[in-house]
Amino acid sequence: MGTWQGICVSCIATHFTANGSSCVLCSTQVPNCVNCQQAGGYSMNCTVCINGYFPDTATSCATCPSAINNCISCTPNFVGGAQCTTCALKYYTSNGLSCSSCTNIDSNCYYCNNAGQCTQCLYGYYVNSGYTCTIQPTCNVANCQQCTNLDGTVCINCNQYFALSSDSKTCIPPTSCPN
């Protein structure tokens, strides 16, 4: 009794058939390709690349920064380019076509999101309700290390050996000398 040998016509998404007898990884044909589709005959079209790359043609993966500066994650735009989904730290994209510096939102902005809102400011500033940076008020609580962003009369952390009062408006001195 002989063994029957079939012809492979379809493989899972991460593989394609290069010769009809077995399925091989997409990345063997296109470096950095993770998903592909069987094309005519025994060729394949890359449909998904590893993070940081996009299929710029059916048979190659290009880096996101090669298409959009400061882009670290992108998707194909299906016209041979990319649309950025995630920019490098301190950058954002509002349209997927470019990455802009968070300082474009506010000169004191350190981190921001793709909605064009500042999420963290430079030291000495805080993010206000309009998602821009406002200078922190002077702390008016004696022996306070750090006041809240919105009110210089409410303490968050007292200096070493001082205890924060229950209303957070006073730093209480120690009751005994520390060693």
Side-chain angles (χ1 to χ4, degrees):
M1 204 186 246
T3 57
W4 181 78
Q5 187 162 346
I7 296 176
C8 180
V9 292
S10 180
C11 300
I12 60 173
T14 57
H15 290 71
F16 77 104
T17 181
N19 56 18
S21 64
S22 64
C23 292
V24 294
L25 282 171
C26 301
S27 60
T28 60
Q29 182 73 26
V30 176
N32 302 311
C33 182
V34 291
N35 283 1
C36 56
Q37 293 176 335
Q38 193 76 37
Y42 295 122
S43 63
M44 56 79 86
N45 290 333
C46 183
T47 56
V48 178
C49 300
I50 63 171
N51 194 27
Y53 290 78
F54 70 99
D56 63 335
T57 67
T59 57
S60 71
C61 290
T63 63
C64 294
S66 70
I68 301 169
N69 288 337
N70 298 305
C71 182
I72 57 172
S73 178
C74 62
T75 57
N77 65 6
F78 304 106
V79 291
Q83 182 168 342
C84 190
T85 54
T86 307
C87 294
L89 288 177
K90 302 180 189 177
Y91 289 88
Y92 73 101
T93 182
S94 58
N95 57 13
L97 303 175
S98 65
C99 290
S100 302
S101 174
C102 292
T103 58
N104 290 352
I105 297 168
D106 186 296
S107 61
N108 295 303
C109 185
Y110 193 69
Y111 293 124
C112 54
N113 60 27
N114 283 346
Q117 299 168 327
C118 189
T119 57
Q120 185 177 344
C121 299
L122 297 174
Y123 182 77
Y125 294 85
Y126 71 94
V127 178
N128 63 28
S129 60
Y131 297 100
T132 56
C133 297
T134 301
I135 195 163
Q136 287 182 336
T138 303
C139 188
N140 296 318
V141 178
N143 297 304
C144 181
Q145 189 176 46
Q146 181 183 10
C147 283
T148 63
N149 295 338
L150 302 175
D151 186 351
T153 62
V154 177
C155 186
I156 297 171
N157 294 319
C158 292
N159 290 336
Q160 188 175 17
Y161 307 121
F162 287 82
L164 187 60
S165 65
S166 60
D167 66 357
S168 301
K169 295 190 178 220
T170 309
C171 288
I172 304 166
T175 54
S176 64
C177 287
N179 293 338

